[in-house]
Amino acid sequence: MDALNQPLLSVDDLSVAFHQQSGTTTAVDRISYQIRRGECVALVGESGSGKSVSALSILKLLPYPTASHPTGQIRFKGRELLGMSENDIRAIRGNEISIIFQEPMTSLNPLHTIEAQIGEILQLHGGPRGAKARARILELLTQVGIPEPETRLASYPHQLSGGQRQRVMIAMALANEPDLLIADEPTTALDVTVQAQILALLADIRARLGMSLLFITHDLGIVRRIADVVCVMNNGKIVEQGPVEQVFTAPQHAYTRALLAAEPKPDPAPPRPEQPVVISTDNLKVWFPIKRGLMRKTVGHIKAVDGVTLEVRKGETLGVVGESGSGKTTLGLALLRLISSEGPIVFLSSDIQGLKFKEMLPFRRDMQIVFQDPFGALSPRMAIGDIVAEGLSVHQPHLSEDEREARVIKALTDVGLDPATRFRYPHEFSGGQRQRISIARAVVLEPNFVVLDEPTSALDMLFQAQMVDLLRELQRKRDLTYMFISHDLRVVASLASHLIVMKQGKVVEEGPAAELFKHPKTDYTRALFAAAFRLETAPGGGAAP
């Protein structure tokens, strides 16, 4: 085969095994696919199907020697990668092949500024330095949709929202204009408007540079929009592959058909005006001071939450939507008294604003949160059974060890995890499985109020639908009250009783969710919904409901 017709990347008969004391697990089982120059190939499948493991094998980023490749070859530009030395593969990483990881908070260095981290990528591969490097960094941040990038150069990862951190990761991956970009769930943490921007950016770079793309995702709407070829994975195997239109319109495998049919049922919790208010606030503010100069004087404020008023009644679900950085997560953290704020917060008829740590403790059992970044929220030193049981030990110390074990097993079963895995550690699970562990940790205490911060963003379509059903079932069975923060408007529509739309810390529109989805009043809300429905294209070609 001549060089022009040769695939850029060829994966042949690849297997990946993990060796542990309990035995050997085959995570990827003899898969084969090719990526040609300028082509986008999507790997699709449920969480734990082997998508990310197979992609990490390309750059030899698995934890060797725990991981091994019993069979297979990976060839890039005719060179075999699996047999390369660490020095040789290091020259390819970040230069010829770049990768965007699923969890940006754990991939970015918390001690370095955004400018330093992107600049390091340029310097390691002989790129520009000094003023030219700064200009290139600003160009990259602008391309990925960071507003006012000059003000973000000196920021640290914890000072950015989840979506902004993901955009920084994308900027780092694109810094050296690689031949192949591996994107592992790159839009998971992004709101729909930025998803559209990033997909357009990737398409533009592919066209301009002839860059190839290996796109790992559970979002079938994005696959339909961006990919040329799709490979459907299940239990470590590729069960179906082919051109996107062919697979979407005439799927051959039963699993592919089930994946395409998966959709959260539109059955939101009804408004319950007769029920007591579980949590409310009036004119809530979270302002972060901007300090400059030698004396660190306050010269202004970042108004993350700026005068929000709301109330949520028992058994209802408040949906909170808006672009990344609009203040959604900050609002949830403030209501739970996890960050400082101004304004009354009334929880179960008690004003909890200003309470000290010990005074807040009795309320903690009744208010729980599922964080957006599950890997950062789970202790890497604890087995997942101990993580889920930790809250029971603190808030229900009277339970016997057997009772705690039974509650943990039930919680893990409820969220679709095998209880036998409770002795394993977080790094041994996929991103979606870690999110389910976080949900189990929250519901095991049977709280009254749960803040769900993007709880389905890391889940594939099948488990998204199952998780929505689970959350709805738990709500009805235990009369739970939810605040559901998400950029996935389809999921919000299936759960929310009431909806608030946030922009730059303010509520720009609110009302009953069913009414707001049908008749949005502001231009911003209409643009947000329009972007979401363009992305969520059904397999038949129509707009998602």
Side-chain angles (χ1 to χ4, degrees):
M1 182 182 296
D2 60 65
L4 289 176
N5 294 321
Q6 184 178 9
L8 181 69
L9 181 81
S10 180
V11 177
D12 298 307
D13 203 34
L14 178 69
S15 296
V16 181
F18 289 93
H19 310 282
Q20 299 165 325
Q21 291 183 345
S22 56
T24 299
T25 302
T26 301
V28 175
D29 190 6
R30 294 181 177 274
I31 68 170
S32 299
Y33 62 88
Q34 295 180 341
I35 305 177
R36 301 191 177 277
R37 293 179 185 275
E39 185 177 52
C40 176
V41 174
L43 287 182
V44 180
E46 66 186 76
S47 178
S49 62
K51 308 186 300 294
S52 295
V53 169
S54 61
L56 291 173
S57 300
I58 295 171
L59 289 174
K60 297 183 68 175
L61 292 174
L62 294 176
Y64 303 102
T66 302
S68 68
H69 302 286
T71 65
Q73 281 188 328
I74 301 175
R75 301 187 71 81
F76 176 71
K77 295 181 179 179
R79 295 170 287 175
E80 216 290 311
L81 299 182
L82 292 181
M84 275 190 177
S85 67
E86 182 63 21
N87 282 337
D88 290 339
I89 195 72
R90 193 179 292 133
I92 293 176
R93 291 179 189 146
N95 190 25
E96 296 181 71
I97 305 177
S98 284
I99 186 166
I100 304 166
F101 294 102
Q102 184 175 0
E103 289 159 337
M105 192 58 178
T106 54
S107 303
L108 296 172
N109 190 322
L111 302 179
H112 291 176
T113 64
I114 301 308
E115 181 178 12
Q117 296 192 58
I118 301 177
E120 182 181 26
I121 297 292
L122 296 170
Q123 292 171 19
L124 283 175
H125 297 283
R129 296 172 181 265
K132 289 184 178 180
R134 172 169 281 215
R136 174 62 175 153
I137 293 167
L138 288 172
E139 178 189 4
L140 288 164
L141 292 178
T142 301
Q143 283 183 336
V144 298
I146 295 285
E148 300 179 354
E150 297 87 353
T151 65
R152 291 300 186 183
L153 292 178
S155 296
Y156 291 86
H158 72 275
Q159 295 174 305
L160 305 179
S161 70
Q164 289 169 331
R165 288 193 289 264
Q166 188 66 288
R167 279 177 266 173
V168 170
M169 283 293 300
I170 294 171
M172 292 172 66
L174 297 176
N176 291 307
E177 299 184 343
D179 295 312
L180 172 63
L181 176 63
I182 301 170
D184 188 359
E185 301 279 7
T187 59
T188 292
L190 303 181
D191 56 80
V192 289
T193 53
V194 179
Q195 276 189 17
Q197 293 171 18
I198 294 301
L199 294 177
L201 169 65
L202 292 175
D204 175 67
I205 292 173
R206 281 179 60 203
R208 182 162 48 87
L209 303 178
M211 183 183 74
S212 301
L213 183 61
L214 177 60
F215 201 93
I216 302 166
T217 185
H218 60 258
D219 192 324
L220 297 176
I222 291 177
V223 172
R224 184 72 175 268
R225 177 170 177 172
I226 196 172
D228 303 306
V229 175
V230 60
C231 302
V232 182
M233 292 193 69
N234 185 29
N235 294 326
K237 297 177 180 289
I238 292 180
V239 297
E240 186 166 356
Q241 67 176 295
V244 167
E245 284 303 314
Q246 176 184 312
V247 172
F248 271 64
T249 55
Q252 301 299 307
H253 196 276
Y255 175 75
T256 309
R257 291 194 290 270
L259 203 62
L260 291 169
E263 187 78 23
K265 297 174 184 176
D267 186 18
R272 303 176 70 181
E274 77 287 352
Q275 290 295 315
V277 174
V278 171
I279 193 163
S280 64
T281 186
D282 182 35
N283 198 30
L284 187 73
K285 294 180 181 179
V286 181
W287 290 11
F288 297 108
I290 302 171
K291 296 185 177 182
R292 290 184 183 148
L294 185 62
M295 304 300 293
R296 306 300 293 164
K297 289 185 178 181
T298 299
V299 297
H301 290 86
I302 296 173
K303 299 178 181 181
V305 175
D306 191 17
V308 171
T309 298
L310 61 82
E311 65 176 28
V312 194
R313 296 184 179 273
K314 190 167 184 61
E316 290 185 341
T317 298
L318 173 67
V320 184
V321 300
E323 292 180 311
S324 177
S326 62
K328 305 186 300 293
T329 298
T330 304
L331 174 62
L333 295 176
L335 290 176
L336 296 181
R337 291 287 321 283
L338 294 177
I339 59 174
S340 298
S341 62
E342 293 181 11
I345 301 173
V346 180
F347 179 66
L348 298 178
S349 302
S350 299
D351 190 348
I352 61 173
Q353 184 69 282
L355 294 183
K356 293 181 170 55
F357 178 82
K358 288 186 178 180
E359 295 171 326
M360 273 299 301
L361 201 56
F363 295 97
R364 291 295 181 199
R365 174 189 165 181
D366 283 325
M367 48 168 56
Q368 291 292 306
I369 184 169
V370 177
F371 292 101
Q372 181 177 1
D373 178 8
F375 196 59
L378 302 176
S379 171
R381 298 171 180 266
M382 297 173 67
I384 68 163
D386 295 330
I387 289 172
V388 176
E390 186 177 24
L392 295 172
S393 302
V394 173
H395 295 288
Q396 298 181 12
H398 61 279
L399 294 177
S400 68
E401 188 173 337
D402 288 342
E403 289 172 326
R404 276 200 303 272
E405 187 88 349
R407 292 274 290 273
V408 169
I409 289 172
K410 183 178 186 305
L412 292 174
T413 302
D414 283 346
V415 299
L417 286 172
D418 183 355
T421 64
R422 66 188 184 277
F423 305 108
R424 291 163 57 186
Y425 291 82
H427 72 272
E428 299 178 73
F429 294 86
S430 69
Q433 289 170 326
R434 287 194 286 262
Q435 189 65 288
R436 278 174 262 161
I437 295 167
S438 296
I439 294 173
R441 179 175 60 178
V443 301
V444 74
L445 286 168
E446 300 182 353
N448 280 309
F449 177 61
V450 182
V451 173
L452 300 156
D453 188 4
E454 303 279 7
T456 62
S457 65
L459 302 181
D460 55 82
M461 300 294 287
L462 285 173
F463 280 103
Q464 270 192 9
Q466 292 176 18
M467 193 57 62
V468 168
D469 289 341
L470 168 66
L471 291 171
R472 189 183 290 121
E473 180 185 350
L474 290 171
Q475 184 174 44
R476 291 172 178 170
K477 187 185 299 182
R478 304 179 184 180
D479 216 13
L480 287 171
T481 305
Y482 293 144
M483 172 182 278
F484 193 91
I485 300 167
S486 182
H487 63 258
D488 191 330
L489 296 176
R490 179 199 54 219
V491 176
V492 173
S494 69
L495 280 171
S497 324
H498 199 83
L499 189 69
I500 65 174
V501 181
M502 294 190 67
K503 181 182 181 183
Q504 296 178 350
K506 293 181 179 291
V507 174
V508 297
E509 191 165 356
E510 65 175 312
E515 177 65 22
L516 205 56
F517 274 109
K518 288 180 182 176
H519 305 292
K521 295 181 176 63
T522 68
D523 291 341
Y524 176 74
T525 306
R526 284 193 288 269
L528 200 65
F529 291 177
F533 296 147
R534 279 199 301 271
L535 284 172
E536 294 168 7
T537 303

